[in-house]
Amino acid sequence: DAKTTQPPSMDCAEGRAANLPCNHSTISGNEYVYWYRQIHSQGPQYIIHGLKNNETNEMASLIITEDRKSSTLILPHATLRDTAVYYCIVRGNYGGSQGNLIFGKGTKLSVKP
Amino acid sequence: EPEVTQTPSHQVTQMGQEVILRCVPISNHLYFYWYRQILGQKVEFLVSFYNNEISEKSEIFDDQFSVERPDGSNFTLKIRSTKLEDSAMYFCASRGQGAINYGYTFGSGTRLTVV
C-alpha cells in the first residue's frame, strides 16, 4: 500500500499558487519523495523528486520539512491545464534495484477560472 | 523530448482471446515497467523488467501474463486468455540509470476492452 497521505481533492484559482500537501511520516532515510500527475486518462507524468533539500524545476517546487515527515508541492502559477490528479510517492533509489513506484489515490486538483 | 510509445491506443478483444500490448521504451533506458488502471481506480503496478528478466511482479501479474523484450527495442505485455476484468488502461514506463534518471517516463497507454 502507498506510504503517503494526501487530501482527496483541492481547488485553486487560475494564476494563483497551488500548494499540495503530503504526509509521509514513516519515510526512511534512503527514501525519496516523488511527485507525479495524471491528466485525465493520460499516462502519469513525472514532476519532481527530492530527498531532504527543497527542489525546484521548470514545473514546480518541492518543499520537504526538516523531519522529512511531510512535503508540499507548489505550482507557482496554476493554469487550467494543471487540472489533474497529483500523486505523492515515497520510493527508495537503490543502486541497481527497481524500487517500484506504488501509486495511491492522489489529490485531484481542480484549477478554476 | 524522448517518449515512450505504446500501440495500439485502443484494443477490443473477445473474452478468452490472447492480446499483446506493445511498447517502445526510451532508447537508452534500462528498466521497464507495466502498470494498469481500471476505470476510476488507482494506477496499479504489474511488473518490472531489467537485464532481460522480470525483477519484480505484483499479485495481479499471474500466469496469464507474460512480458518480453524480443528485439532490444520493443517491450511487450501478453495476456494469454483475457477476462472481462482485464479491461483497463495499460501503461508502459521506462527509466534510465544514474542520479539524473530516477524519474519514470510513462507512455500514453493502451485502452484494453474485453467483451
Side-chain angles (χ1 to χ4, degrees), chain A residues 36 38 93 98 100-101, chain B residues 31 35 37 56 95 102 104:
Chain A
Y36 282 75
Q38 188 176 26
N93 272 344
Q98 313 327 303
N100 305 311
L101 288 178
Chain B
Y31 301 92
Y35 285 77
Q37 187 174 32
E56 194 168 343
R95 177 173 75 89
Y102 290 142
Y104 289 31

Side-chain angles (χ1 to χ4, degrees), chain A residues 36 43-46 101 103, chain B residues 3-6 33-35 43 91-94 104-109:
Chain A
Y36 282 75
Q45 177 189 22
Y46 167 79
L101 288 178
F103 288 82
Chain B
E3 289 184 343
V4 172
T5 305
Q6 290 187 244
Y33 308 86
W34 283 101
Y35 285 77
V43 178
F91 296 108
C92 172
S94 69
Y104 289 31
T105 301
F106 283 81
S108 54

